[in-house]
Amino acid sequence: MIQWAGRLRMVSNFFFAVFATETVSVIINDKNEYVKSAAFISAVTFICLGLSYTFLNQSSGQTYVNYKPSNAKPAPFTNYQINSKDGFMYLVKGYNTGVVSLDYWPKKAVKDWNTEEKIRTHHAILGKDEFEVKYNSLPDGISYNINEIRKTSHLDLPFLNYGNHYKVYVDGKETGYYETSRNTIGVSNISKGKHNIVIKYKQCNSEKATKVISILATLLLILLAIFKNITFIGKKAENRC
């Protein structure tokens, strides 16, 4: 709600849902069949009209994306329709730059469309050269296979940096890293040749403590449930005696 004032509607929607559920419950328990039939017909009519209005209202006046978005002709930020195979495949195989897709990106990474596009399409920067790198997603990071390095230089990888929470390995050996001008992870003095670079997320102490507390709390709840169950069975047996 702090991030977007429009989400305040979620609160009113929640209370409306609670009220609607209670109303439906009262109607279902009502013995009058006429009331039940009238309520059912009214609900179906309301839903159909609401969906029809939403569809028509969102369809009119929207921009048609009948092309493959690019740097020269990007897709609108929001409120558009996909009515071509190129536009559809962009959303399926490409990257949807719609609402909230860039909300948590660092400011330097979204300073212009070209910077965003290069990071999204996994383009690394080696000196003045840019090239697309092959990658494999890992459960706790990412792995890059670099084949284009012809001389020792600094390597700017297309991986966003959010503080000192990562470990970087070059060919299996841990190395240091720095934050680049586009807020990604950079590695210094990469030698020429082929390299495998792995970036892994490093858990901070607070996260580790939270996991331990969560596990202990879960075990405590299980033990309390078992204890209460044993106590209940014992009292039930005493009452029978």
Side-chain angles (χ1 to χ4, degrees), residues 109-166:
V110 293
K111 58 185 178 182
D112 56 66
W113 173 266
N114 184 61
T115 302
E116 296 172 15
E117 190 71 9
K118 293 298 181 182
I119 295 174
R120 282 199 300 267
T121 54
H122 297 275
H123 277 75
I125 301 175
L126 184 67
K128 297 182 179 181
D129 298 327
E130 293 183 356
F131 56 94
E132 185 176 351
V133 292
K134 297 180 181 179
Y135 68 95
N136 291 308
S137 297
L138 304 175
D140 56 348
I142 196 167
S143 173
Y144 293 106
N145 291 314
I146 312 293
N147 300 321
E148 291 85 355
I149 297 181
R150 298 178 181 176
K151 60 180 180 179
T152 301
S153 184
H154 299 295
L155 180 63
D156 180 344
L157 295 166
F159 190 93
L160 295 174
N161 179 41
Y162 292 95
N164 187 27
H165 301 297
Y166 305 95

Side-chain angles (χ1 to χ4, degrees), residues 10-26:
M10 296 173 63
V11 177
S12 60
N13 289 342
F14 171 75
F15 285 106
F16 176 77
V18 172
F19 172 76
T21 302
E22 185 66 22
T23 303
V24 170
S25 176
V26 171

